Amino acid sequence: MNLPEHKKIILFDGVCNLCNRMVQFVIKHDKKDVFRFVALQSELGQEIQKHLGIVTKNIDSVILYDPGHAYYYKSSAAIEIIQEFGGIFYAAGLFKIIPNDLRNGIYDYIARNRYNWYGKTEHCMIPTPEIKAKFL
């Protein structure tokens, strides 16, 4: 895999409107240019999941991959991503005191209903030229 050095990779559902909004939120708040994005459905997304040993069938979670260090998924990924913004967002770490099973139960409920609540697109998000470099 040819991944950029010193960047954290966010794998997301490229056809999910909620997920696409999350990506836009991260891009807006990623002032330190920490993140790069890959759709779970893409060839590279599939390759990263295989490399991590994640079963790709029916994946319904955001995955944060910090190459050479660790990976996170579901609520843990969301918390790690938000904390990276610093400032008031760092307080998101307080959610770690909630048991992982409870956090992921809520996460799974939202994930199961995301297409019904937020809709689904037929294609992955097409970034503007200004943010295209953030996508792998």
Side-chain angles (χ1 to χ4, degrees), residues 18-122:
L18 175 61
C19 302
N20 284 320
R21 288 183 198 154
M22 178 271 304
V23 167
Q24 293 298 323
F25 179 85
V26 172
I27 289 170
K28 179 180 177 182
H29 292 90
D30 184 20
K31 304 298 183 200
K32 296 182 276 181
D33 192 34
V34 171
F35 299 107
R36 293 297 178 263
F37 304 91
V38 176
L40 290 164
Q41 297 87 345
S42 71
E43 187 176 313
L44 180 57
Q46 296 289 309
E47 188 178 340
I48 292 171
Q49 291 172 76
K50 184 177 179 181
H51 172 75
L52 295 174
I54 297 172
V55 177
T56 59
K57 184 179 180 183
N58 297 325
I59 188 75
D60 62 357
S61 174
V62 64
I63 300 168
L64 174 63
Y65 177 41
D66 188 356
H69 298 285
Y71 74 91
Y72 307 88
Y73 64 98
K74 296 189 180 189
S75 64
S76 295
I79 292 169
E80 293 293 326
I81 291 166
I82 291 171
Q83 281 192 290
E84 195 65 51
F85 303 149
I88 190 71
F89 291 108
Y90 197 75
L94 293 173
F95 285 105
K96 291 179 181 177
I97 64 172
I98 299 171
N100 198 45
D101 289 343
L102 179 58
R103 283 193 336 252
N104 284 338
I106 294 167
Y107 184 99
D108 289 340
Y109 177 75
I110 294 168
R112 277 191 308 273
N113 292 289
R114 70 189 185 278
Y115 294 143
N116 291 333
W117 295 343
Y118 299 96
K120 184 176 177 180
T121 64
E122 293 298 317

